[in-house]
Amino acid sequence: MTVKVRRQRPRRRVFWALVAVLLADLLALSDTLAVMSVDLGSESMKVAIVKPGVPMEIVLNKESRRKTPVIVTLKENERFFGDSAASMAIKNPKATLRYFQHLLGKQADNPHVALYQARFPEHELTFDPQRQTVHFQISPQLQFSPEEVLGMVLNYSRSLAEDFAEQPIKDAVITVPVFFNQAERRAVLQAARMAGLKVLQLINDNTATALSYGVFRRKDINTTAQNIMFYDMGSGSTVCTIVTYQMVKTKEAGMQPQLQIRGVGFDRTLGGLEMELRLREHLAGLFNEQRKGQRAKDVRENPRAMAKLLREANRLKTVLSANADHMAQIEGLMDDVDFKAKVTRVEFEELCADLFERVPGPVQQALQSAEMSLDEIEQVILVGGATRVPKVQEVLLKAVGKEELGKNINADEAAAMGAVYQAAALSKAFKVKPFVVRDAVVYPILVEFTREVEEEPGVHSLKHNKRVLFSRMGPYPQRKVITFNRYSHDFNFHINYGDLGFLGPEDLRVFGSQNLTTVKLKGVGDSFKKYPDYESKGIKAHFNLDESGVLSLDRVESVFETLVEDSPEEESTLTKLGNTISSLFGGGTTPDAKENGTDTVQEEEESPAEGSKDEPGEQVELKEEAEAPVEDGSQPLPPEPKGDAAPEGEKATEKENGDKSEAQKPVVFRALVTRFGFR
């Protein structure tokens, strides 16, 4: 018998091996393209994803629900999240943590820490002497900071998204309340790092809601400005936002829709939680009254019983929104005693009468910050679960003077959908229709410094100066450069919040320290001694307020110039070299950030010391690096950069030296940065 053996050509084997490798690489690439968003509310969170073939979808949790309670139960060797943790709240209330976001970025003496302790006395909060903040003391060996607990929740949200998408996910956009300051935003970023998430952006939840509304109504937006008010009352807080929608001309994509945040008002503690706490206290009083004379303990001293009452208060609030009365009932509330009591909507409204009086407050704040009147508002749209309370709608309708309130948006999922659209836009894996977003600075930021001046010959005095970097309701992201051109020795400057007069006394106490940090520069005097023949162009500090609303000091540099003869063989140029001496807050530049602009604030000797705007005598020059979207019939918006903002801004500053050829020397400083604003 003859056996024939056919040998495959080596080249064919190599070809198919290469094809297999390429296919494997493509499949692996497609398995890592998904992005996610987390709408992080006080009571619950919504997670959304975008992946190839799945555009903008809400993630279902393990119980097939579209929203997940933000609750964590911590034991020695176990952790429970979501609905599982909510069920554990009755059995082990001390180890079950909720509403911990209210403690993010807060020092131990903050009024909100005391408020949290009063609301949830079952939790033991201990002092962290290193960070001046608090810990949750679960057991003698187990303690966690609020940031660590939030990191666990974010990690759990990622696991839900990965299970739903059936692929790993790292890129995320996370919503935060618009009233979060620098410390609170950095706390969320720290928690995300613990969870292993790459945060594409911290987006304000009101901005995410406005983006979702605009994306699904793109055809209704035209060149005529439309002013929409969003009233968002959630579980923990209330935010009112005025948004302007309009078609604008962009350099890259022509006419595109844009949303601009025009006004913001908020109440940090007005929400559904406070209503539920009032109901819980009322139910506790009724239970104690029923057991009066039996020498029974006060139900308020029993954490398990109070956890049961809070759960029943939550259910009761929801039912009373649709019914005039309802029967509250709990089996075995305490000491195997059942509880049953009738509660009417009128009683509920009387319990929360002072809360309903605060409903119009954010509306007035938003109108004031936008410098608009109610007549300019076309529609008021309700967002958030607590807006379903009939009394809230009644008071709000009277305050805005409209015929009706808009309910044409998903009050629970709008922020999550807007955030995931932004995640897809920021991801390099997806291409979405452009939608220009102009967010606004809520808390102004300024630079303060003291300089010695000679008022008369031989008479010296210290002059305190303030320069506004980012003004209230100004757009961001944005870069700015401030030039100190009257210093030839080592000096320091302070970065502080600006005028916070729009906040009430209680909000100011909750806000905390108004100082962000102090920057101390060393080596300034040595640089002037090293280059005595060069002309100094000042000490330039480059600031960046990024897409997440987080401030960073990218670098500080000294610029010297000198004249050289033109060479016929070489084209004369003007170049400046500086060496970065400080990277404050761990931030970095984002040259490709969209919609950025660069301002240069020049220090003038006779500038007034105070003021939240550009004072008389101070030269403020806006450096355009790219054409910004220009609204028809309205003021142009800050420009969009082509690359790194600093060199262009500096080049524009020196345009009067056009025909001179310059030589330069790099200057290296040593920087000592003292940080005490952020923990």
Side-chain angles (χ1 to χ4, degrees):
M1 184 174 64
T2 304
V3 179
K4 295 183 179 180
V5 179
R6 178 179 294 178
R7 296 183 179 179
Q8 189 176 14
R9 296 179 179 178
R11 291 183 180 180
R12 184 173 297 178
R13 288 201 302 268
V14 172
F15 171 77
W16 287 112
L18 290 174
V19 170
V21 170
L22 289 174
L23 288 175
D25 290 342
L26 289 174
L27 290 174
L29 181 62
S30 65
D31 287 343
T32 58
L33 293 181
V35 293
M36 63 180 286
S37 70
V38 184
D39 178 21
L40 199 61
S42 296
E43 184 179 59
S44 61
M45 66 178 177
K46 278 72 67 178
V47 182
I49 65 164
V50 171
K51 75 170 187 178
V54 181
M56 296 176 61
E57 186 169 352
I58 295 292
V59 171
L60 302 181
N61 62 17
K62 296 178 180 179
E63 289 77 19
S64 297
R65 296 179 180 175
R66 298 173 71 86
K67 65 179 180 180
T68 304
V70 182
I71 305 178
V72 184
T73 299
L74 301 172
K75 294 185 176 181
E76 293 294 337
N77 300 315
E78 292 181 293
R79 293 188 302 182
F80 299 90
F81 299 94
D83 293 289
S84 300
S87 63
M88 295 289 293
I90 306 300
K91 301 176 182 178
N92 195 350
K94 181 179 179 180
T96 302
L97 308 179
R98 60 178 73 185
Y99 301 104
F100 47 83
Q101 305 97 308
H102 299 173
L103 301 178
L104 292 173
K106 304 287 194 309
Q107 294 192 350
D109 58 352
N110 194 289
H112 267 200
V113 176
L115 178 63
Y116 186 91
Q117 191 73 78
R119 287 175 167 179
F120 307 103
E122 65 271 17
H123 296 316
E124 181 182 354
L125 298 179
T126 57
F127 177 67
D128 182 358
Q130 182 178 0
R131 301 174 67 242
Q132 302 293 312
T133 56
V134 292
H135 277 129
F136 289 104
Q137 193 73 39
I138 309 299
S139 68
Q141 295 79 27
L142 204 63
Q143 65 178 16
F144 297 98
S145 67
E147 291 80 11
E148 290 173 322
V149 179
L150 179 58
M152 299 176 194
V153 172
L154 291 176
N155 187 56
Y156 177 68
S157 71
R158 184 177 69 168
S159 68
L160 293 177
E162 289 178 341
D163 291 344
F164 192 81
E166 298 179 339
Q167 61 178 270
I169 300 177
K170 286 189 176 181
D171 296 345
V173 169
I174 303 174
T175 69
V176 295
V178 66
F179 51 76
F180 264 22
N181 58 25
Q182 294 291 312
E184 292 166 311
R185 291 174 187 271
R186 290 188 173 276
V188 176
L189 291 175
Q190 180 184 1
R193 284 193 295 269
M194 294 179 185
L197 285 174
K198 178 185 176 183
V199 179
L200 300 176
Q201 181 181 350
L202 293 182
I203 187 171
N204 295 331
D205 47 15
N206 61 336
T207 304
T209 300
L211 178 59
S212 175
Y213 180 86
V215 164
F216 290 104
R217 291 162 180 80
R218 177 185 293 264
K219 295 181 179 179
D220 298 333
I221 302 175
N222 50 47
T223 54
T224 303
Q226 306 173 40
N227 300 320
I228 306 295
M229 175 181 288
F230 295 92
Y231 192 89
D232 182 2
M233 181 181 287
S235 177
S237 60
T238 299
V239 175
C240 181
T241 310
I242 298 175
V243 183
T244 298
Y245 294 94
Q246 189 175 12
M247 295 293 292
V248 298
K249 186 177 182 180
T250 62
K251 181 178 180 181
E252 292 80 7
M255 297 297 291
Q256 296 296 335
Q258 172 188 275
L259 72 85
Q260 181 179 4
I261 304 298
R262 299 289 300 277
V264 175
F266 56 85
D267 190 324
R268 279 180 176 258
T269 58
L270 178 62
L273 172 61
E274 186 61 31
M275 300 178 192
E276 294 167 16
L277 293 172
R278 301 282 180 92
L279 270 176
R280 182 183 71 168
E281 184 66 21
H282 178 65
L283 296 178
L286 292 177
F287 182 73
N288 287 336
E289 187 68 24
Q290 292 177 5
R291 304 188 67 195
K292 189 175 182 180
Q294 302 179 17
R295 295 184 179 179
K297 293 182 179 179
D298 189 345
V299 69
R300 299 179 183 87
E301 299 176 1
N302 190 313
R304 291 186 178 182
M306 292 301 284
K308 293 179 183 179
L309 286 173
L310 184 60
R311 183 175 63 181
E312 181 64 13
N314 180 283
R315 187 185 71 87
L316 196 61
K317 182 197 71 174
T318 303
V319 174
L320 288 177
S321 297
N323 299 274
D325 56 68
H326 188 66
M327 190 67 67
Q329 48 188 350
I330 304 174
E331 294 184 4
L333 176 58
M334 189 175 72
D335 299 334
D336 295 327
V337 177
D338 297 339
F339 171 65
K340 191 174 184 180
K342 183 179 180 181
V343 180
T344 66
R345 183 190 293 180
V346 175
E347 291 176 329
F348 170 62
E349 293 176 353
E350 289 176 353
L351 291 171
C352 304
D354 61 318
L355 299 181
F356 298 136
E357 292 176 357
R358 291 159 55 183
V359 168
V363 175
Q364 300 303 323
Q365 294 177 25
L367 291 171
Q368 185 176 3
S369 61
E371 298 181 350
M372 299 173 67
S373 65
L374 282 169
D375 295 335
E376 301 176 70
I377 306 299
E378 297 184 11
Q379 190 178 12
V380 179
I381 298 177
L382 297 178
V383 187
T387 56
R388 297 186 177 98
V389 176
K391 190 65 174 179
V392 172
Q393 297 184 18
E394 177 187 336
V395 176
L396 180 61
L397 187 61
K398 184 178 179 181
V400 299
K402 302 295 182 181
E403 293 183 0
E404 61 179 358
L405 299 173
K407 301 176 184 178
N408 52 345
I409 192 173
N410 190 322
D412 290 326
E413 299 176 359
M417 297 300 283
V420 81
Y421 187 90
Q422 185 72 353
L426 295 174
S427 173
K428 297 179 180 179
F430 301 95
K431 186 176 182 180
V432 300
K433 291 183 178 180
F435 204 111
V436 184
V437 178
R438 291 287 182 181
D439 216 328
V441 177
V442 176
Y443 306 118
I445 298 175
L446 52 80
V447 170
E448 296 188 42
F449 54 94
T450 302
R451 188 180 71 242
E452 186 179 81
V453 296
E454 185 176 1
E455 297 180 350
E456 299 178 3
V459 179
H460 296 270
S461 63
L462 295 178
K463 183 178 181 181
H464 188 71
N465 297 271
K466 292 183 180 181
R467 297 292 179 268
V468 175
L469 282 176
F470 304 99
S471 59
R472 174 164 163 77
M473 302 314 299
Y476 78 87
Q478 193 173 168
R479 293 192 190 94
K480 288 195 177 181
V481 181
I482 183 170
T483 303
F484 304 93
N485 43 10
R486 298 193 181 278
Y487 283 99
S488 58
H489 54 80
D490 297 350
F491 67 99
N492 58 11
F493 58 88
H494 309 277
I495 306 174
N496 300 327
Y497 289 106
D499 182 16
L500 300 179
F502 59 93
L503 296 178
E506 183 63 27
D507 286 333
L508 280 175
R509 287 192 291 270
V510 172
F511 189 86
S513 174
Q514 296 187 28
N515 174 258
L516 290 172
T517 193
T518 297
V519 181
K520 295 184 178 181
L521 301 179
K522 289 189 176 181
V524 178
D526 295 340
S527 68
F528 279 83
K529 295 178 182 178
K530 190 174 182 179
Y531 304 104
D533 298 331
Y534 288 74
E535 180 185 1
S536 172
K537 293 299 179 180
I539 314 298
K540 296 181 181 292
H542 298 255
F543 296 89
N544 181 29
L545 193 65
D546 64 16
E547 294 87 349
S548 299
V550 177
L551 175 69
S552 62
L553 176 59
D554 288 339
R555 65 188 184 276
V556 182
E557 60 191 9
S558 180
V559 180
F560 292 88
E561 294 179 357
T562 187
L563 296 176
V564 296
E565 295 181 359
D566 291 340
S567 173
E569 298 178 357
E570 297 181 2
E571 183 181 0
S572 61
T573 59
L574 173 63
T575 309
K576 297 181 189 145
L577 292 180
N579 189 44
T580 300
I581 69 162
S582 174
S583 181
L584 188 59
F585 314 135
T589 58
T590 53
D592 56 346
K594 298 179 180 180
E595 311 303 328
N596 282 8
T598 301
D599 284 357
T600 300
V601 181
Q602 296 288 349
E603 174 202 345
E604 290 297 317
E605 183 177 1
E606 299 301 328
S607 296
E610 297 184 3
S612 60
K613 296 183 179 180
D614 302 331
E615 300 92 339
E618 181 182 7
Q619 297 178 359
V620 179
E621 190 174 359
L622 182 66
K623 303 303 176 187
E624 295 188 3
E625 296 181 301
E627 294 182 11
V630 179
E631 302 177 0
D632 296 339
S634 62
Q635 295 181 353
L637 295 169
E640 185 175 307
K642 296 178 181 177
D644 189 8
E648 285 291 325
E650 292 171 0
K651 187 179 294 183
T653 306
E654 305 302 331
K655 59 185 177 182
E656 66 273 13
N657 296 329
D659 297 332
K660 297 181 181 180
S661 178
E662 308 279 340
Q664 60 284 322
K665 291 283 186 178
V667 179
V668 181
F669 282 171
R670 289 186 300 108
L672 175 61
V673 180
T674 303
R675 299 165 47 168
F676 55 89
F678 295 132
R679 300 295 179 185

